[in-house]
Amino acid sequence: TGLFVKLCNQKGIQTMGIDFSKIAIKIARKLESNCYHKDFLKDISDSHFNIITMFDVLEHLINPSAFLKRAYGALKKNGMLTINVPDMEWASIVLVQSCRGSFGSSPVFNTPRKIMEIFYGNQDHEGEYHKAGFTEGILRDDLTETGFSRIRIKKIYDNHDMRCLISTALKL
């Protein structure tokens, strides 16, 4: 939560972080980031932000569509939403290959526990469970149904060798 906000603020970009996790906010405050424990669905006013980022957020929510709708409302006209979520299509392939014994060369995903963490999170802290999964098609459909336009989705590998979907979408 706090590192991205701190880096943006150091570059002169006025930034605020919001997280539902009190643990994440505690960590962010150690970084001297202006991050707050708020309810994104209730505490954010309409047409308030130029850009909203949701890095590793939607997969932890029971109702990610509500967050997308709230993000749409909270963005100013021509505002941008940027999302990062694990790619469940890729995770499914990894799981099948692992069950067949053909994925064993990966140092990261060579145990059943590691593979299950892709699907369900690592559960180190309360709230880290994955409650929703996204493929490129599901993410695109959800963003379109919410009203976003000019949706771009890229598949990338994060620093844990896990394939993620990075999406940008505009409120026109």
Side-chain angles (χ1 to χ4, degrees):
T1 299
L3 184 58
F4 180 72
V5 172
K6 182 176 181 170
L7 292 172
C8 288
N9 287 333
Q10 287 175 344
K11 296 284 186 185
I13 303 168
Q14 184 181 1
T15 313
M16 174 179 77
I18 299 169
D19 205 303
F20 68 89
S21 167
K22 290 180 182 178
I23 293 169
I25 295 301
K26 188 176 181 179
I27 293 167
R29 293 210 173 122
K30 287 181 181 176
L31 295 170
E32 299 178 3
S33 292
N34 56 327
C35 296
Y36 306 96
H37 182 253
K38 290 186 179 260
D39 185 332
F40 183 72
L41 296 176
K42 297 177 184 173
D43 297 336
I44 305 303
S45 58
D46 284 342
S47 302
H48 187 78
F49 297 104
N50 293 312
I51 299 172
I52 294 175
T53 60
M54 293 184 183
F55 301 140
D56 303 308
V57 172
L58 293 180
E59 67 270 20
H60 297 278
L61 304 173
I62 293 171
N63 187 359
S65 295
F67 259 64
L68 291 176
K69 288 175 186 169
R70 185 66 223 123
Y72 188 85
L75 282 169
K76 295 178 181 178
K77 186 176 179 182
N78 298 317
M80 180 190 300
L81 174 65
T82 300
I83 297 171
N84 177 51
V85 293
D87 182 353
M88 287 297 111
E89 178 184 17
W90 172 82
S92 298
I93 292 167
V94 169
L95 181 60
V96 168
Q97 289 176 337
S98 173
C99 290
R100 292 180 181 160
S102 61
F103 199 76
S105 62
S106 170
V108 179
F109 303 112
N110 59 359
T111 67
R113 174 173 294 287
K114 290 293 186 187
I115 293 165
M116 294 314 289
E117 285 179 7
I118 298 169
F119 286 98
Y120 301 110
N122 62 20
Q123 288 90 48
D124 285 343
H125 305 289
E126 183 180 340
E128 287 195 354
Y129 293 95
H130 290 180
K131 298 175 180 96
F134 295 90
T135 63
E136 182 176 358
I138 291 170
L139 184 57
R140 185 177 304 283
D141 288 349
D142 287 355
L143 289 167
T144 301
E145 288 173 17
T146 304
F148 285 99
S149 304
R150 296 189 187 162
I151 299 164
R152 292 182 18 202
I153 300 174
K154 288 175 39 177
K155 296 175 182 178
I156 64 148
Y157 287 88
D158 69 7
N159 59 346
H160 303 292
D161 291 330
M162 185 164 76
R163 192 168 83 187
C164 298
L165 302 172
I166 298 285
S167 171
T168 57
L170 298 179
K171 175 183 178 179
L172 299 178

